[in-house]
Amino acid sequence: MYARSTTITAQPESIDAGIAFVRDEVMPALQAMDGCVGMSLLVDRESGRCIATSAWETEDARAASLERVKPLRDRAVEMFGGGSATVEDWEITALHRDHPTHDVACARATWVQTDPANVDAGIEYYKSSVIHDLEGLEGFCSASLLTNRATGRSVSTVTFDSREAMERNREQANQLKAAKITEFGAVEEVDECEFELALAHLRVPELA
């Protein structure tokens, strides 16, 4: 399974219009394309950072969609009031759901960097150790890992039942992250951000 993420820095007053455009225009268009298995949208209203991620059955299906998606992406940038979009391609290397998300769900995304030679070991460590401990966090819904094998860059996204649960588990999550990074020893945290889960329509199967 493969994914493409598009990051837009939105104007705060345009975020709701952007969400509506992605929900009403972009998502139906993507779902009509061969090989698409849904999309999600993360929104941080404080910073304006918005990340739309589409999922694809194969790398070829993702590549074939590139030109058809571009006009939708350009229009989404306009609707969000953003100046440009950053696009990244990923392999979906792990996914585990405990239960479905609800309308008030939120997510914490953590980007990490490792040597490409250590990517496979990192994926296995995430599946065998990290996911199990993430399940112990209050409000846990699901966890996923997207990876770029060529660069060694990955992003772990953990969803929770509510913002309140995510805020209450923040200290525990930070302690867990520090312990796991120390234990694995071959990865560096690059960035982390907490989001509202504005859209969650991924039909990616269990990959844990």
Side-chain angles (χ1 to χ4, degrees):
M1 306 293 292
Y2 296 84
R4 176 188 298 121
S5 65
T6 299
T7 302
I8 300 168
T9 302
Q11 297 299 317
E13 66 273 12
S14 299
I15 286 177
D16 286 329
I19 292 171
F21 178 75
V22 173
R23 180 190 65 231
D24 299 337
E25 303 291 337
V26 176
M27 190 165 65
L30 287 177
Q31 289 175 328
M33 297 181 189
D34 289 343
C36 182
V37 289
M39 71 171 302
S40 66
L41 176 63
L42 301 175
V43 171
D44 176 18
R45 292 180 183 271
E46 185 174 336
S47 69
R49 189 178 189 178
C50 301
I51 305 176
T53 302
S54 56
W56 304 87
E57 291 178 347
T58 66
E59 195 170 9
D60 287 344
R62 183 184 64 191
S65 72
L66 187 60
E67 290 304 314
R68 296 174 65 188
V69 166
K70 188 178 184 303
L72 295 168
R73 180 187 305 124
D74 292 344
R75 181 59 176 151
V77 170
E78 292 178 10
M79 294 300 295
F80 276 110
S84 61
T86 301
V87 180
E88 294 182 274
D89 286 336
W90 307 95
E91 181 182 346
I92 305 174
T93 48
L95 189 144
H96 171 64
R97 293 185 186 89
D98 180 78
H99 59 271
T101 56
H102 303 290
D103 291 343
V104 295
C106 288
R108 180 181 294 120
T110 306
W111 288 262
V112 298
Q113 181 68 49
T114 189
D115 188 307
N118 294 322
V119 163
D120 286 334
I123 293 168
E124 289 308 309
Y125 182 73
Y126 188 87
K127 289 179 176 180
S128 64
S129 180
V130 176
I131 288 178
H132 176 269
D133 288 343
L134 289 173
E135 287 183 293
L137 296 176
E138 179 183 349
F140 175 86
C141 293
S142 67
S144 66
L145 184 69
L146 307 184
T147 303
N148 184 317
R149 291 180 182 274
T151 65
R153 179 174 167 88
S154 296
V155 55
S156 166
T157 303
V158 187
T159 62
F160 301 98
D161 288 325
S162 66
R163 180 167 293 279
E164 291 76 17
M166 182 171 68
E167 289 174 350
R168 285 194 296 266
N169 71 40
R170 188 180 293 140
E171 182 177 353
Q172 183 184 357
N174 283 336
Q175 293 173 353
L176 172 61
K177 176 180 62 181
K180 293 301 180 183
I181 288 176
T182 299
E183 185 175 358
F184 184 64
V187 65
E188 176 186 1
E189 180 183 351
V190 176
D191 192 11
E192 185 168 271
C193 189
E194 294 180 346
F195 296 93
E196 165 192 339
L197 183 58
L199 293 172
H201 290 274
L202 290 176
R203 303 187 302 277
V204 178
E206 184 85 1
L207 296 169

